[in-house]
Amino acid sequence: MRTGIFLSYAGGFKEAAEQVVQLEKVGVDIALVAEAYSFDAISQLGYLAAKTSTIELGTGVVPIYVRTPTLLAMTAAGLDYVSDGRFRLGIGTSGPQVMEGFHGLPFDAPMGRTREVVDICRQVWRREKVAYDGKHYQIPLPADRGTGLGKSLRLINHPVREDIPITIAALGPKNVELTAEIANGWQPIFFYPERADDVWGDSLRAGYAKRDPALGPLDIMVSASLAIGDDVEDRLAWAKPQLALYIGGMGAKGQNFYHKLATRYGFGEVADQIQDLFLAGKKEEAIAAVPDDLVRNVSLVGPRGYVKERLAAYKAAGVTTMLVHPLAIDGAEAHRFTEELVTLTSDI
């Protein structure tokens, strides 16, 4: 099992980058930078590429709506170049809150657009003349929609790799099936290992049945909050604001992926309560309503032996890369937690 770290996108990036430099030395395999409505992920990854030499770098994730497929491919090829072949493109759809509320773009056809984006990126990296007649993207633009002067072009530069790994963040059954079919990696959030097969097993198997063997095994990259020690039980509360935000506030009733996931995990009643409180503006009460059991089952928080048992459960559920958010009081503690994680995963 590989280990990875998520960098905060809410501030202090240079300090976080220095932490990655140190974690690279102790064997952390990958560092991811997310993109929400903060600084863009790409400029930060360029900075990281210059500061590091061996650790894999990736987006975790960038939304597919805000860049054209060819720009995504160009950007990925550029980051792969400046990192000497260490880049992984993580993509996702985000949600209507960010796409409509921050970018002013419609949130439409997430599955269809995802498939076409992946197809076009791979054409660009192979340096083919990009010619694509999809439902959502047509390259070159048809004459009846443009000037008629556009011709198929290929990437001028020769990419370091023509098969840059693509990871897709997906939660819904059909999205997960698509990911298992076409992607190099899958990045789910709030992964409960003992319930994962019940929730996603059929989708993964359906996708694997259509998967090109040349893609190799799917890298299942799971994120979890991390705190290791005999006195870290209080850190469970530190993870609750994120769960409350996602379950309660990331979507209207009936249109919230994370609420549906918590419900499928068996926490439907409490998910309804969290959502009702959050949407009513009672955010602190929504946070308090998040049960310890839910946090514990989607996190790595507890004594060393307990965390090792949880890692074994993740591995048994098919997880190949463990991505963590340290629940730490400072950088030194975050480093200690992550270094201990590397040691524990090497024993599993």
Side-chain angles (χ1 to χ4, degrees):
M1 184 186 290
R2 301 196 309 159
T3 56
I5 185 87
F6 265 105
L7 274 71
S8 171
Y9 53 75
F13 178 81
K14 287 187 177 180
E15 294 79 4
E18 291 302 324
Q19 181 187 19
V20 172
V21 171
Q22 298 305 313
L23 291 174
E24 180 180 58
K25 296 175 182 177
V26 300
V28 171
D29 297 291
I30 184 169
L32 296 184
V33 179
E35 186 173 276
Y37 39 101
S38 53
F39 290 152
D40 74 289
I42 307 308
S43 56
Q44 298 184 68
L45 282 160
Y47 181 88
L48 271 178
K51 299 283 285 186
T52 59
S53 58
T54 59
I55 193 168
E56 188 178 10
L57 304 172
T59 48
V61 298
V62 292
I64 60 171
Y65 294 99
V66 300
R67 297 171 179 88
T68 66
T70 43
L71 179 56
L72 267 176
M74 293 161 61
T75 301
L79 284 170
D80 207 44
Y81 174 76
V82 298
S83 66
D84 296 318
R86 291 185 286 131
F87 180 68
R88 169 184 289 264
L89 177 62
I91 60 173
T93 58
S94 187
Q97 293 80 8
V98 177
M99 290 305 99
E100 297 175 10
F102 191 63
H103 293 285
L105 294 171
F107 183 81
D108 67 336
M111 283 185 56
R113 289 186 182 276
T114 298
R115 182 184 288 277
E116 294 186 15
V117 165
V118 171
D119 287 344
I120 295 166
C121 280
R122 288 175 173 157
Q123 272 196 23
V124 172
W125 298 332
R126 292 192 299 265
R127 294 195 71 244
E128 298 172 1
K129 286 189 175 181
V130 181
Y132 198 83
D133 185 20
K135 181 177 180 181
H136 308 287
Y137 302 101
Q138 294 86 43
I139 307 171
L141 195 67
D144 62 352
R145 293 179 51 207
T147 64
L149 298 176
K151 305 299 181 185
S152 291
L153 301 172
R154 66 165 55 90
L155 188 70
I156 294 172
N157 314 82
H158 288 259
V160 175
R161 296 179 292 173
E162 66 173 28
D163 56 350
I164 296 170
I166 297 176
T167 295
I168 299 176
L171 289 180
K174 289 298 182 182
N175 291 14
V176 172
E177 180 178 338
L178 176 68
T179 299
E181 177 190 350
I182 69 172
N184 302 93
W186 171 43
Q187 191 180 318
I189 192 172
F190 307 137
F191 190 93
Y192 185 164
E194 289 83 0
R195 302 281 173 85
D197 189 68
D198 293 338
V199 174
W200 292 301
D202 289 344
S203 297
L204 289 170
R205 287 183 282 273
Y208 290 150
K210 296 176 283 185
R211 185 177 181 83
D212 183 347
L215 287 171
L218 185 70
D219 188 0
I220 300 180
M221 306 173 68
V222 168
S223 58
S225 298
L226 174 71
I228 303 174
D230 295 327
D231 57 351
V232 296
E233 186 74 7
D234 63 315
R235 308 297 170 89
L236 292 173
W238 296 18
K240 291 184 179 184
Q242 184 193 33
L243 278 159
L245 170 64
Y246 278 68
I247 295 171
M250 287 294 188
K253 287 192 174 183
Q255 297 182 351
N256 182 316
F257 313 129
Y258 312 99
H259 178 280
K260 291 178 181 178
L261 179 60
T263 299
R264 296 183 74 183
Y265 282 162
F267 292 89
E269 186 175 337
V270 72
D272 289 344
Q273 181 185 4
I274 293 166
Q275 187 176 60
D276 288 343
L277 289 167
F278 202 98
L279 294 179
K282 300 177 180 179
K283 295 182 181 179
E284 293 302 318
E285 293 177 46
I287 292 168
V290 177
D292 286 354
D293 280 351
L294 176 57
V295 183
R296 188 175 284 108
N297 284 312
V298 299
S299 303
L300 294 169
V301 177
R304 191 176 192 277
Y306 173 77
V307 170
K308 187 172 182 178
E309 290 175 2
R310 296 306 297 154
L311 287 168
Y314 278 100
K315 184 175 182 179
V319 174
T320 49
T321 301
M322 201 76 226
L323 306 165
V324 295
H325 309 264
L327 302 172
I329 58 175
D330 55 26
E333 188 175 61
H335 182 94
R336 178 170 62 82
F337 287 162
T338 311
E339 185 174 8
E340 190 154 9
L341 176 74
V342 173
T343 301
L344 289 172
T345 53
S346 67
D347 293 336
I348 294 175

